[in-house]
């Protein structure tokens, strides 16, 4: 029988601010907050040499590559196990920096869920697949809200934590050019594994501000306040934010990474050489291979 394959695209996600909400059930755990999804994202290709049932019965693990190099992403492994597709070959491709606040692991997990479900005809609904990917990401400690935001697209506002059926989403109706510069990685696991009380209090204040005035300038201003109050702002990002502000633009720190993002041409106007994209309007989706 001919091989089966499917491809999914999942937008990158920059979290502007958040509050952490723990629960023993990973589908219930998550975060409240807001961010921006990006047309720069993650493409996930899932394939198998034989039909889906053969894959489900095969005890051997398939191969995962990340930008052409053999590797592994724990949340992707967990998604494949849940969908009885552990022998699938998975190719994850992205131009986004990994570990720098773009939700790459969540995107890979969600993309694997969408593509494996299609390739092997598992018959899961979109909400079920988002739930599987969200639970895998939470269990691995690599994210709390990227998956649900990436599934929605646009400028998602996470009103209540958790996967579909538990959490609640809204959004800021906006479209814009987005620029970003990355100075390095910041460990999501380390931050989320520590004391998040002060961080969460700052995130709740920022969310209240945005809910009262759901516009992009408010999101950016709330994000800047959050980074300082949560004691997450790193010097190189702070310097870039100040430079953008001096040039008349709006910038903030991406959570969680040593990354600054700006609207319009903010970073370019401040003298940086940023990557540029736009807010992604569609959210995670299957695409032609």
């Amino acid at each position: 029988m001919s091989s089966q394959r499917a491809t999914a695209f999942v937008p990158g996600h920059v979290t502007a601010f958040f509050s952490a909400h723990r629960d023993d059930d990973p589908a219930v755990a998550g975060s409240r907050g807001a961010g921006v999804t990006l047309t720069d994202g993650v493409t996930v290709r899932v394939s198998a040499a034989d039909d889906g049932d053969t894959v489900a019965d095969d005890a051997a693990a398939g191969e995962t590559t990340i930008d052409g190099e053999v590797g592994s992403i724990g949340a992707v492994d967990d998604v494949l196990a849940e969908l009885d597709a552990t022998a699938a070959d998975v190719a994850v491709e992205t131009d986004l920096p990994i570990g720098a606040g773009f939700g790459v692991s969540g995107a890979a997990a969600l993309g694997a869920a969408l593509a494996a479900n299609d390739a092997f005809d598992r018959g899961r609904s979109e909400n079920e697949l988002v739930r599987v990917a969200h639970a895998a990401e939470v269990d691995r400690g690599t994210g709390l809200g990227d998956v649900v935001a990436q599934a929605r697209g646009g400028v998602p506002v996470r009103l209540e934590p958790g996967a579909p059926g538990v959490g609640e989403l809204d959004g800021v109706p906006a479209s814009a050019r987005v620029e970003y510069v990355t100075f390095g990685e910041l460990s999501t696991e380390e931050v989320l594994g520590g004391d998040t009380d002060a961080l969460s209090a700052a995130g709740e204040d920022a969310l209240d501000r945005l809910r009262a005035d759901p516009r992009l300038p408010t999101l950016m201003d709330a994000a800047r306040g959050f980074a300082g109050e949560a004691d997450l702002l790193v010097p190189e990002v702070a310097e870039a934010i100040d430079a953008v502000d001096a040039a008349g633009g709006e910038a903030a720190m991406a959570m969680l990474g040593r990354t600054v993002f700006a609207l319009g041409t903010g970073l370019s106007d401040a003298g940086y050489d940023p990557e540029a994209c736009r807010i992604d309007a569609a959210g995670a989706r299957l695409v032609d291979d």
Side-chain angles (χ1 to χ4, degrees), residues 13-18 100-103 146 186 188 199 223 226-228 230 232-233 252-257 259 261:
H13 177 243
V14 172
T15 295
F17 55 81
F18 71 100
F102 292 95
D146 286 319
L186 187 64
T188 299
L199 177 155
F226 169 81
L232 292 171
L233 195 61
M253 180 178 174
M255 303 295 155
L256 292 158
T259 295
F261 69 102

Side-chain angles (χ1 to χ4, degrees), residues 109-194:
L110 181 54
L114 291 168
N117 180 71
D118 186 64
F120 307 133
D121 195 25
R122 295 303 187 229
R124 304 288 188 98
S125 71
E126 288 184 355
N127 278 355
E128 288 177 307
L129 295 170
V130 175
R131 188 182 183 96
V132 166
H134 172 81
E137 177 89 325
V138 171
D139 266 341
R140 291 286 180 165
T142 49
L144 286 173
D146 286 319
V147 168
V148 295
Q150 289 162 322
R152 184 191 186 279
V155 185
V157 180
R158 304 185 304 282
L159 299 178
E160 296 296 339
V166 179
E168 181 182 351
L169 289 171
D170 200 348
V172 175
S175 177
R177 172 187 166 101
V178 179
E179 295 185 339
Y180 58 89
V181 172
T182 297
F183 301 102
E185 298 181 9
L186 187 64
S187 173
T188 299
E189 295 93 332
E190 183 176 328
V191 174
L192 296 182

Side-chain angles (χ1 to χ4, degrees), residues 35-37 152-156 171-178 214-217 219 263 278-282:
V36 175
T37 63
R152 184 191 186 279
V155 185
V172 175
S175 177
R177 172 187 166 101
V178 179
R215 297 181 301 127
L216 279 180
L219 181 146
L263 302 179
R278 295 195 62 82
I279 292 172
D280 183 270

